[in-house]
Structures are given as structure tokens and as C-alpha cells.
Amino acid sequence: MLSHAFCAGRALRVTFPSPSSRILLFDASPGVGAPRRFCSRAATALKNSKDLPSIVEVDYHDLKQLNPRALEQLREAFVGNKAYGAVAVINIPGYGDKLTKAFRAGIDFALSDSEGRKRAAAVNNTYPGWSGTPGEETHPLQSSMLFNAKQEIPGGKPNPYFGINNFPSKEYRDTWVNLVTPMHDAALDVLRGCDTIIEEDLARKGLKWSAEGRSLYQLGLQGPALASRFICYDSGFTREDTMLQRKDEPNQVLESRPTSPDVLMVPQKSAGHSSDGLASMRTHSTPVKSAGHAADGLASMRTHSTPVKSAGHACDGLASMRTHSTPVKSAGHSGDGLASMRTHSTPVKSAGHSTEGVAALRGHSPSSVSSSQTVRAHATQTMSTTSGSSEPMFFDPSIDQPVQVETEAAPKEDAGEYWLPWHIDSNFVTVLHKEMYADEKTTEFVPEPEGAGLLIMNADGDVTKLRTRDDAVILQMGAFAQIYAGGYVNAARHAVVSPRPPGVARFNFCNFWYVPWETACTAPAGTEHAAVSTGWNAMMDESYLNITQKQGFAAFREFMTAPEARVQFADSVQFKELAELFPLPGKRLNLASNSSEIVVDVLTDVRCPFSFVSQLNLDAALKNLGLDQNVTIRYHPVFLNPNVPKEGENLDDYLLREYGYTKEYAHSESYPLRVMGLEAGVELNPSRRVVNTFDAFVLIEAASEAGRQHEVVKALSQRYFEGAEDISDVAVLCAAAEDAGLSGQDAKGWISDPARRARVLAEFQTVSSRIGEVPHFLVRERISGNGVEVGGKKSVEEWESALESVLEKSSVIGKTIPGPYGQDVRLSECVPYSPISMALSAQHGFEPGSWPFDASDFSRNDESPDDYMYTEPRLVNHLDDTSLARLTEAYRSVFSMVPQGFSVLDMCSSWNSHYPQELLEGARVAVHGLNQRELWANGQATERHVQDVNADAKLPWEDNSFDFVTMALSIQYMTDPRAIFSEMHRVLKPGGMVVIAHSHRVFIDKAVKAFAQETYDGEGHTHTICRYFQHGPQGGWEKLSTADVSPRHGDPMWLVTAVKA
């Protein structure tokens, strides 16, 4: 479930664009202390549910016997459009006492036992243990205690990938294990009964279920993880949802899935199986995204920024919902009546001057521009301020005068009405209870607040409230089960409504079942459409199909462990789109390793006065905060009017002809733009012309190659806004280039270069299609990629606030790991909250007692000798430049811990070792690999050795020869890793360090099965590499560490390091 978060007593709403990708948070509450107005639709649904039957109840004893009555009740619960997809198991012997005792222990622990919560602390909220801060938690998962029940029940075992359990005490553990064991058994009985009814119903149609190898019961029995989460929802934690409004919207297609097995089980040829000639040996249903690395022959798995489509869990996962349309509220700017400038083709409503109420200003619509049509006024939550006007103020592109823009009025929103919005759990099944409530101060149980409760919806849109015994065990089918059964059983659509009862917290204990990790969410052949819900209340789509259980869980974990899951770190959809459009640059070597680097992308027209003034204020703010030497500013064209004729036009003539503004008024001391400029310390020259700035941006683009873009823009701005010079004139442009320290003669050639002009035009078309006003700023911290969007003219104080927000959001980046010879290494670009970075700490010291692999794990699709494949050199990079720069920076951090002249062995090397060149003076660099021509092309090497370690692992160097051993992007090909790691240990000096770098790209036919089965499994592969170290020479390795140094946008870069004992 991706949902809303709650901060400082204010409800926040969220959109759900896809099951696992983007989140956008906006303040939609009436404010702290405002009266609660319960939404009529939810309240009406709750009231009307009294007239509908609740979910089906099945007696525990009938269920154990699977007698006809129990089977018919399960059929009613799960089959057909009237089925709610849930069943309550009642009369479990002794269960009520166990339930009360467990909830009592959980509530006391959550609200009163701070020391116990410290002992049981989880490394993050998707790993076993306690996470959250009751009363002030902003994370969608709220505060909770999580453990893997499969580790505790009889016959269970730990699952390192999920994480190892961490309880505050043995008594606490025993209390919950006593409850979860009968929960588990009852759920298996329900699944066994569902198998029976599916088998019986399909047999009558001549179709098969178990004979096709399908069984809900077996999936549940064999699953490696049963995420058992006791959740504490704060009293003020609420979320918005428009699901019930959609039912009443006109033109809704109320489509339901067909439920006849005749329709569901029509056989069709399935695609993507390992025998159909596909090039890659991935799990047959795993989608593979192509990528553009030239001539490297890689199987091109998903790139790092590609979201894996999955969805979530009622209290433990991603939201399995349709896109919710959350309106964005427009806002004015800083109370001065000024705002941002719309692009030239944006329709502008006629309006009077802000002080005189006269003139009829119209927008321009040049026929040659088709990129920006209608746009909305942009406003970001962080930076939006309220103007004195009731409507946002904008300026005509050419006249520099304020006009009012017609915008859609944002509706007044109540605080969120749900503890849990409408959704379908994406996991296999969910087992839960009726929620309990407790006083947040006294911890005493209290009755269910009026207007609260679990709502469940069927495919027809009927909504009922959960009404069953307090000690019932409730099983809800999830999306995985519905799809796996071809749509024959229904997943439960559900939500929890909240009246925001003061001081009353909601508690529930839910078990989220996962099937074996590599199981793909595939429907029986021919049932793909029927397997997925459709219509206004679908709450899932085809993106749920054909991903493995591990992929779905990994996407959930990756998002939920990231800071952006919390309201204070949330980014807008547009921020993410622009961030992907403008990749961050590499590190500037002249900066200290602990310095924050700010990157500002300015989307504007160089003749926009608001952009000029805002940039002056930005420069002042950067200097005030000591960041002026740590900033990179880049410019991207959004032309106010790309069709301004070459000769331009006198601004005075234009104002008089079009709007009746006299020269005296435009040149007066009270003219708003003059006042704005003087406040920023500059006098705007009213005699400037309306000019075409395309050539100016060609010069700006060229200046970026020399690192002088900001200087060129400053020179152009001074000449235009202060000197009133014609910056469309080539001579003026060449003079500005010289002002910025560039050659005027070179500038003349740059401006006329057809290829450069084509690039500027292409960038304008790309950028203007996303931005409807200028200026627009994207401000990010380079390492983390975190930042804010800023629109319009901003004061120095506002810029300082924005920059401080960026620094705060980036403060979570960096990790210290054990380094060589007893020193600690600071990896400044490490993402510490990544599942890869937390892979070891989540184990709480757990190691497998024996080697966890067998020979088949190291088999390959292509078992031919490796040197056959490397007959010809591959002088290409296998990852993008940004990711390789992260690897170089990690090496820089490690190598700088020892004096110059160190020795390093680069195993399985190639033409580039990616070492920091400035640290290699006097160093011994031995490179080892399969292709002699590649190794000789390696300019960092001082010695080279050709060897196939899969054929012969014995290395030619003496014992204790090297300070470092590195292996980049090759670990996935090692067929005898223990032998190879033993040799690495032998040649490494005591106290020396190994760095293993891995990513998601692989020559799939040559990768061992342990890696090839799931190419994007960064966390799982990290565990695999850790096992190589843990089962190496006896006592040979220590200080094992994992780190994710991936860039925000680009290929992943994951590290596993160790020190020789």
C-alpha cells in the first residue's frame, strides 16, 4: 500500500500513478485544529453497508473437514462478481484468548516500551523488527513490529532475503508465535478448500487445475516469507481517496471480469518461455527492457531507473490501486503580484493591469510551435507562496506586464477520510483480524469509534462493512492469487475509514503471504485479461502480470525504504520526469569530499526579466550559504516566442500598439519591473527590444562544453537588461562570449554550426513540452539527486529556504565502511537506505551453517570455454558513464586510505579499470583477464596477465602481494567462486581490502544460474556474494560490508567489500 502520510497533525493526500512508481503529496487538509468534516461518500457507503450482508463466515471445524457446507461458503466468498474476496474463519478453539493477549502485548510495546523498541529496532521498515515513532510517524507503513512467521512456526526456517527476526524478548516472541501458528494453519485450510472448488468447477467444464501443476495451497505452504506486521496507526493519520466518487462519474464503463470457466480457461499459446528461442535465460515471464550500450552484447535488463510494476499490501506494501487524480493547487508568488512567464503559445485570458484595470492582453499562438498547447500554472508544495491577488499573476511574454490567468479553481478539500484507502493487496493472500483501538496515552482498549471500520467491495461495486466475531481470522485474496487462478477467485477490494478520533490509535495484526520468490505472477494460458480486474473499481491492471514475487517485493522494499516515501522527502511527478531528462554531472575533483554540490537546471528564455532577477537572487543566496563555489548552473531553452522576427521590435512601440501603454508609463519609476529590478540591485533598461533569442541559446549551448555557460548567460543578461543591446546580433553575441572568457571568433562559428543549432531546437521542443511557464528551476544535490522545483521570481530569502531544503534532503546520503589496515572509509555517494546497503545489517549476525549452493547453481546456458567468447576484444563500457563515475569515486575513497605507491590487482579486467588516475602515481597495477588486446589497451596497468580463472583459479602472484583486489562486473560468471575467493585471499596482504562491484547487466548465456535467474536482483545477488566471503577460507575474511553507490538515474552500482583477517 502506497498511501498518505501524516505530519504535524495535518492530513496529506497522495496519488497512485502506478503500483510501484511515483508518488505526489499535497497538503489537502483544512489545517491544524480545523473541524473534521466527514466525506459524504465514505459516510454514505458505511451507512448503506448495514443493508448488505457482510463477508462470509465459515466454521473452523467445517473448514478442517472441507465438508459441502464449507466448500459452498468458500465458493460464495471468492467466486463471482458478488463475492467480496474474503472469508472469516470462526470458532477456532482458544483463539480469542491468544488474540487478546497478543494485542495487549503489542499495544503496550508500541506505546509504552521505549527500551524494548530499541532492542528490537529494524534496520528499516521492510525488515524484521520495530520501526516508526508512534504519535508522529509520517511513513505510509506507520509504526509497526514486523517478523517473518515462517521462521518461527513449526518446520519453518529463516529467509535471509526477507531478513532475520529481531524480537525485544523471548516472552514477546512466544506470545505472537502462539497466535500466528493457528492463523497459518487456518489460512492453509482456506487455500486447500479453494483448490477443491476450483478443481470441481473446472472439471465440470473438462478443464484442469492440479493436473496443470497449479495449487494455491502449495504456493502458501512453500512460500519463504510470511510478513507478520502488528501496526499502530496514529489517531491523526488519515488519507484521501476518490474511489467512490468514480462510481458516480458519467461515462463510466462498469465492466466486470467474466466469471465462467468456459471464458477463463480458453487455451492460448503463451509467450516468452525458455524454449522459444529468446536470447536471454531469465525467468520466462520476466520483462526485459532493451538498453543502448553499443556492441556490448549484453542481455540488457531493466535500467536502474525503470520501476518494476508491482503493488502492495494492506499495511505492508505498495498500493494496488488505479491512478487517483489529485488536483494540483495553483499558487501565486511572494505577495508582490509578480509570478512566472508563460510560454508563448499558452492561452492567456484578457485582464486588466494590476494597478489600472485596463488593457486587453492576448496570448500568441504561432503556427510553428506545437509543443506547449494548454498548460497549468506550476506550483510546488515546498516553494509556493500566496500572492495578494485572488488569482495567480503572470506576465505577457513580450510586454513585461502582469495579467491574470484563467485557472481552474481548486476545490476545498476535507482532511483524509481513510486510515487505509481503497486497494487490492498485490501479494498472494493477506490474513488479518478485526482492528482493535486503544487510547494513545493510557494504552487501554476503547470501543471502535463511530464511523470507523473495514469496508470491502465486490466487482459490482457493492460495499459492505466487515461484521464478524472479534476472534475471527479473516483471509483476503490478493492480486497474485487472483491472477494465478486466472480470475476464478476474486481478490478483496478494501479500505479502512477513519473519523480521526482524537487520541485513539488503531491496531491490527496482518500476515502478508509471499509465494516462492522466483514464482512468476502468470495466469493460465488464455486467461490474462480475465485474470486482471477491469472497470471503474479495478484497482489493478496488466502491469501486475508476469513479474516474479521477488520483483514485486523488491519494488515495494526499494520504495518503502527510501526517504521519498515520507512526506518531507516526497518529489512531484514532474520533478522526477525533469530529473530523468537532465542527468546529474560527475563530481568536480576540486571540491572536498565532504562538500555538498548543488546543481541548478534553469528552464527559461534568456530575455525573461523574472528569470534574470530570480537568478540574481539565487546568486546572492548561494553566496550567503557558502555554496557559491559548489554550484553548477545549467541552462535549457524555453523560448517565450520562437517566431520573433530577426530584426525584433522596439518594446515601446509594441506596448503602445498592442496595449496602449505609453512610453512614459513603461519608463516610470512605478513600473513594476523597474521596482522588482531595483530590489535585486539592478536597473532594468526600458529601452531594450523584443528580440529572437535562438542564436543566444546556441552560444549558451556551446559555452557548456567549456564550462562557461553561467558566465555567458550573465554577460548576455547584463548586455540585454542593463545595456539594452540586441542579443540576437552576432556581433553582440561574440562580445558576450569574450566577456565570459571565450573566443569571439570561435563563438561566431559555434552560432552558425548546423548540428549545434539542431541540438538547441531539439532540446527546446523536448523541454517546452513539459514546461508551460518560465522561469522554472530544478535544484538538486548532486550525490543524492534529491531536490526541489522552484517556479517564478524568488527573493533571496526564498532561495535560501529552497537551498536549505535541498541540503536537508541530501543529508541522508553517505555510509562509512571498514577499510584497509584498520581504517574506516567514507563512501560519500553511498545510498545508506538502499536494500543493498542494508543487506548485512538486516541479518542480525545470521550466516548459513553450510555452503548454501549446489553444483547446478553454477551451471550456465553456454558451457563452452570462456576464451572462445573473448577471442575478439570488446572495447566498450558495459554501464553508463554516470554509474562508472560512481565506481571510480568509490575506488578513490578506498585507495586514498593508503600512501601512494600501493599495489592493486584488478581481476577479470579489461581495457579500463576505472581507477582514479590521480592516485596511481607510483602504484603497481596488475590487470588480469581473458583478452590480451583488451589488457594491453588498459593505460592504467603496469603489468598484465591473461588467464581463464574458471578453467584454472590459481593466480601467478606470490602470497601477500597486494593492498587491494578489485573485481568489477564479472562476479556473475564465476563457476567456482570458493576457489577464486581463496586465491584472492592468498595474494592479498593481511589487512588488505577486496572490492567486488556488480550491477544488473550480464552476458546472460555465460552467467551462472545463481545470477541469471533474476538479473535485476541486486539485494539477492549481494547476499550471494556475501556467502562467497562467509564460506571462504576458515577465518579468512572479516569486516564484510555492502554498499549501493548507484546514481539517482542510471545503471546501478553495487559493492561488496571485505578485509583479509
Side-chain angles (χ1 to χ4, degrees):
M1 168 217 61
L2 292 184
S3 51
H4 314 248
F6 187 84
C7 181
R10 306 195 72 186
L12 294 150
R13 61 180 307 184
V14 66
T15 60
F16 304 86
S18 75
S20 67
S21 54
R22 296 165 176 159
I23 285 189
L24 189 60
L25 292 169
F26 297 96
D27 193 340
S29 71
V32 177
R36 170 73 173 128
R37 293 181 295 161
F38 197 67
C39 175
S40 61
R41 284 182 173 86
T44 300
L46 195 63
K47 179 181 179 181
N48 292 343
S49 70
K50 297 177 182 179
D51 301 326
L52 292 171
S54 189
I55 65 171
V56 174
E57 294 180 335
V58 59
D59 183 82
Y60 173 76
H61 301 284
D62 290 341
L63 183 64
K64 297 299 289 185
Q65 300 172 27
L66 287 186
N67 60 31
R69 179 168 57 182
L71 294 177
E72 188 55 37
Q73 289 167 332
L74 293 178
R75 184 175 285 106
E76 181 184 353
F78 296 112
V79 179
N81 284 351
K82 290 299 182 182
Y84 287 105
V87 69
V89 182
I90 59 174
N91 297 325
I92 301 176
Y95 194 77
D97 291 339
K98 295 176 181 178
L99 181 66
T100 302
K101 182 178 180 181
F103 268 67
R104 180 71 272 161
I107 292 171
D108 290 343
F109 174 74
L111 299 181
S112 303
D113 188 1
S114 59
E115 291 303 314
R117 295 196 297 271
K118 291 178 183 177
R119 292 194 302 272
V123 298
N124 211 298
N125 50 47
T126 67
Y127 294 94
W130 170 265
S131 59
T133 307
E136 54 187 80
E137 186 52 56
T138 64
H139 196 278
L141 294 181
Q142 285 287 279
S143 304
S144 62
M145 178 69 191
L146 174 67
F147 66 95
N148 181 8
K150 283 292 182 82
Q151 182 178 333
E152 307 299 336
I153 61 177
K157 60 182 180 180
N159 184 260
Y161 179 79
F162 183 82
I164 306 303
N165 291 340
N166 185 31
F167 292 101
S169 66
K170 182 179 183 301
E171 293 75 18
Y172 188 88
R173 173 206 173 270
D174 291 345
T175 298
W176 285 103
V177 173
N178 287 338
L179 180 70
V180 80
T181 300
M183 282 181 71
H184 174 262
D185 293 344
L188 286 178
D189 288 333
V190 172
L191 296 175
R192 187 164 54 92
C194 288
D195 277 338
T196 300
I197 61 174
I198 295 173
E199 189 86 56
E200 291 178 352
D201 290 356
L202 297 185
R204 286 193 289 268
K205 304 296 183 180
L207 302 173
K208 299 177 181 178
W209 176 246
S210 61
E212 296 293 334
R214 291 186 177 260
S215 169
L216 298 174
Y217 170 80
Q218 287 297 328
L219 283 184
L221 185 66
Q222 297 168 9
L226 201 170
S228 301
R229 191 181 287 274
F230 182 75
I231 314 108
C232 169
Y233 285 96
D234 292 345
S235 60
F237 177 81
T238 56
R239 289 165 277 184
E240 190 57 65
D241 193 293
T242 61
M243 183 73 231
L244 296 180
Q245 297 176 26
R246 301 186 66 195
K247 184 176 182 180
D248 301 328
E249 291 174 0
N251 302 320
Q252 285 289 350
V253 179
L254 301 181
E255 179 185 359
S256 298
R257 291 182 294 106
T259 57
S260 168
D262 290 322
V263 179
L264 294 177
M265 297 299 182
V266 177
Q268 292 182 1
K269 183 182 184 297
S270 58
H273 293 273
S274 58
S275 60
D276 65 2
L278 293 181
S280 57
M281 203 183 76
R282 64 203 184 270
T283 303
H284 74 274
S285 60
T286 304
V288 176
K289 180 179 179 180
S290 60
H293 292 274
D296 64 2
L298 296 181
S300 61
M301 284 61 64
R302 290 186 186 87
T303 57
H304 189 57
S305 60
T306 303
V308 179
K309 294 290 187 70
S310 75
H313 317 283
C315 308
D316 190 38
L318 295 179
S320 49
M321 305 181 191
R322 72 276 162 223
T323 301
H324 290 18
S325 299
T326 302
V328 180
K329 295 183 178 179
S330 301
H333 298 273
S334 64
D336 59 2
L338 302 177
S340 53
M341 300 182 70
R342 286 202 168 197
T343 55
H344 191 64
S345 60
T346 303
V348 179
K349 182 181 179 182
S350 299
H353 186 273
S354 60
T355 56
E356 297 182 345
V358 295
L361 312 179
R362 71 175 187 272
H364 304 273
S365 300
S367 59
S368 62
V369 180
S370 61
S371 58
S372 54
Q373 287 89 31
T374 58
V375 295
R376 66 168 175 83
H378 173 70
T380 63
Q381 180 189 6
T382 303
M383 293 307 301
S384 295
T385 55
T386 304
S387 108
S389 171
S390 61
E391 294 184 85
M393 300 297 295
F394 295 85
F395 281 71
D396 180 271
S398 300
I399 66 169
D400 302 340
Q401 291 298 323
V403 299
Q404 290 186 310
V405 178
E406 183 179 286
T407 58
E408 180 180 354
K412 294 181 179 180
E413 301 289 347
D414 294 329
E417 59 190 307
Y418 293 89
W419 259 307
L420 195 63
W422 285 103
H423 68 286
I424 291 174
D425 295 349
S426 73
N427 55 305
F428 179 50
V429 297
T430 301
V431 186
L432 66 157
H433 307 84
K434 287 186 66 177
E435 56 271 6
M436 294 188 186
Y437 302 86
D439 187 290
E440 289 178 317
K441 293 183 178 179
T442 69
T443 76
E444 294 299 319
F445 287 123
V446 298
E448 178 180 270
E450 183 179 357
L454 174 65
L455 300 182
I456 307 179
M457 181 190 299
N458 61 25
D460 285 348
D462 302 324
V463 176
T464 189
K465 180 182 178 182
L466 173 66
R467 294 186 297 273
T468 188
R469 291 176 43 157
D470 291 340
D471 61 353
V473 170
I474 302 152
L475 184 142
Q476 297 175 162
M477 287 292 175
F480 197 107
Q482 176 178 306
I483 292 170
Y484 180 82
Y488 191 82
V489 296
N490 283 285
R493 301 162 169 86
H494 58 286
V496 180
V497 288
S498 167
R500 291 181 72 190
V504 176
R506 170 184 175 261
F507 296 86
N508 209 329
F509 180 57
C510 308
N511 286 187
F512 305 95
W513 288 47
Y514 296 99
V515 302
W517 293 125
E518 305 307 328
T519 305
C521 187
T522 54
T527 70
E528 289 82 3
H529 174 71
V532 177
S533 299
T534 57
W536 68 272
N537 62 348
M539 305 187 201
M540 68 161 78
D541 57 28
E542 288 77 9
S543 66
Y544 289 69
L545 290 166
N546 304 328
I547 61 172
T548 66
Q549 182 75 94
K550 180 178 276 190
Q551 286 176 321
F553 180 75
F556 152 66
R557 172 170 278 177
E558 184 175 1
F559 177 80
M560 284 298 178
T561 56
E564 70 175 22
R566 298 178 182 274
V567 58
Q568 61 265 42
F569 289 102
D571 295 326
S572 71
V573 172
Q574 181 168 264
F575 176 93
K576 294 184 178 183
E577 290 175 344
L578 292 176
E580 291 186 24
L581 189 61
F582 306 125
L584 290 161
K587 180 179 180 179
R588 293 161 54 190
L589 294 180
N590 59 335
L591 292 181
S593 59
N594 60 348
S595 298
S596 295
E597 298 179 58
I598 301 296
V599 179
V600 181
D601 287 281
V602 186
L603 289 70
T604 192
D605 194 326
V606 73
R607 70 178 178 87
C608 169
F610 307 106
S611 179
F612 176 52
V613 171
S614 199
Q615 289 179 69
L616 291 174
N617 292 339
L618 171 61
D619 288 342
L622 288 165
K623 186 174 182 179
N624 291 347
L625 296 178
L627 296 172
D628 51 319
Q629 300 303 310
N630 296 20
V631 66
T632 298
I633 302 179
R634 308 183 296 189
Y635 295 86
H636 310 280
V638 184
F639 300 116
L640 295 173
N641 183 0
N643 290 338
V644 173
K646 185 64 177 176
E647 66 274 12
E649 183 177 7
N650 183 280
L651 182 59
D652 293 334
D653 295 342
Y654 178 81
L655 291 174
L656 183 62
R657 182 187 74 249
E658 293 292 327
Y659 308 110
Y661 289 165
T662 65
K663 180 176 181 179
E664 289 74 20
Y665 174 71
H667 290 239
S668 69
E669 293 296 320
S670 61
Y671 188 65
L673 280 176
R674 174 174 175 78
V675 174
M676 180 185 71
L678 292 174
E679 290 175 350
V682 65
E683 186 170 348
L684 298 178
N685 193 324
S687 299
R688 63 188 182 277
R689 296 174 62 80
V690 177
V691 298
N692 189 300
T693 56
F694 186 88
D695 287 355
F697 260 101
V698 176
L699 175 61
I700 293 168
E701 193 269 351
S704 66
E705 299 174 4
R708 307 294 294 173
Q709 202 178 50
H710 188 48
E711 289 76 10
V712 166
V713 171
K714 290 177 68 174
L716 290 171
S717 298
Q718 289 172 352
R719 286 178 176 271
Y720 179 67
F721 290 109
E722 299 179 63
E725 297 184 40
D726 181 0
I727 58 172
S728 68
D729 183 84
V730 173
V732 174
L733 294 175
C734 292
E738 293 178 348
D739 293 343
L742 300 173
S743 165
Q745 188 62 36
D746 289 344
K748 189 173 183 180
W750 294 335
I751 294 168
S752 61
D753 180 9
R756 197 178 300 278
R757 297 178 72 84
R759 288 200 298 271
V760 171
L761 177 60
E763 184 175 26
F764 160 64
Q765 292 171 337
T766 299
V767 175
S768 61
S769 67
R770 292 167 169 81
I771 295 297
E773 59 182 14
V774 296
H776 194 89
F777 301 85
L778 186 69
V779 188
R780 292 173 287 172
E781 194 274 331
R782 185 194 64 82
I783 295 176
S784 67
N786 292 327
V788 298
E789 289 177 273
V790 179
K793 175 249 174 185
K794 288 290 176 284
S795 67
V796 175
E797 293 75 17
E798 288 173 315
W799 271 120
E800 289 177 352
S801 176
L803 292 168
E804 288 169 350
S805 174
V806 172
L807 294 176
E808 179 187 0
K809 294 178 76 171
S810 66
S811 63
V812 297
I813 295 299
K815 179 181 179 180
T816 299
I817 64 171
Y821 307 116
Q823 301 188 78
D824 288 335
V825 175
R826 181 66 179 176
L827 298 176
S828 61
E829 295 183 331
C830 178
V831 184
Y833 51 79
S834 161
I836 284 82
S837 298
M838 297 185 292
L840 273 177
S841 54
Q843 304 302 296
H844 300 291
F846 170 83
E847 293 183 16
S850 59
W851 180 242
F853 308 103
D854 57 37
S856 67
D857 291 317
F858 302 103
S859 63
R860 301 177 295 176
N861 196 40
D862 179 1
E863 293 288 6
S864 63
D866 292 341
D867 53 5
Y868 289 2
M869 181 176 176
Y870 280 88
T871 301
E872 295 298 324
R874 288 179 169 85
L875 302 179
V876 297
N877 286 326
H878 295 322
L879 298 180
D880 59 45
D881 292 343
T882 306
S883 301
L884 293 174
R886 289 294 181 99
L887 177 60
T888 299
E889 181 60 25
Y891 285 149
R892 180 176 288 112
S893 299
V894 170
F895 293 169
S896 63
M897 293 293 101
V898 298
Q900 283 191 326
F902 58 83
S903 56
V904 56
L905 167 61
D906 189 20
M907 290 194 64
C908 305
S909 187
S910 180
W911 66 282
N912 190 347
S913 292
H914 307 291
Y915 294 157
Q917 187 62 42
E918 77 277 6
L919 296 182
L920 297 183
E921 184 176 351
R924 177 191 181 190
V925 181
V927 296
H928 159 288
L930 278 168
N931 187 279
Q932 187 175 45
R933 289 168 62 187
E934 287 186 16
L935 298 183
W936 277 105
N938 191 324
Q940 295 184 325
T942 61
E943 56 187 275
R944 300 164 179 85
H945 179 72
V946 177
Q947 180 182 353
D948 180 357
V949 290
N950 281 338
D952 179 11
K954 180 69 175 179
L955 298 177
W957 294 280
E958 298 292 329
D959 296 358
N960 307 324
S961 294
F962 298 99
D963 297 295
F964 302 102
V965 174
T966 64
M967 180 187 291
L969 312 180
S970 296
I971 190 64
Q972 62 268 32
Y973 307 119
M974 302 297 101
T975 59
D976 190 359
R978 282 196 288 186
I980 294 167
F981 274 57
S982 179
E983 278 296 289
M984 287 194 297
H985 181 270
R986 182 183 63 80
V987 301
L988 193 64
K989 297 177 183 178
M993 187 176 184
V994 173
V995 179
I996 305 293
H998 62 117
S999 190
H1000 68 328
R1001 294 187 179 276
V1002 61
F1003 294 105
I1004 198 74
D1005 288 337
K1006 280 296 184 180
V1008 298
K1009 182 180 177 182
F1011 282 82
Q1013 281 186 316
E1014 178 51 83
T1015 52
Y1016 199 82
D1017 183 13
E1019 186 178 5
H1021 292 167
T1022 297
H1023 284 300
T1024 296
I1025 299 168
C1026 288
R1027 302 300 178 243
Y1028 293 173
F1029 281 111
Q1030 291 166 341
H1031 293 272
Q1034 185 68 30
W1037 301 105
E1038 62 180 3
K1039 300 177 180 178
L1040 193 59
S1041 299
T1042 61
D1044 185 346
V1045 295
S1046 305
R1048 184 72 172 264
H1049 301 286
D1051 294 319
M1053 182 58 66
W1054 304 313
L1055 307 179
V1056 181
T1057 68
V1059 173
K1060 180 175 177 178

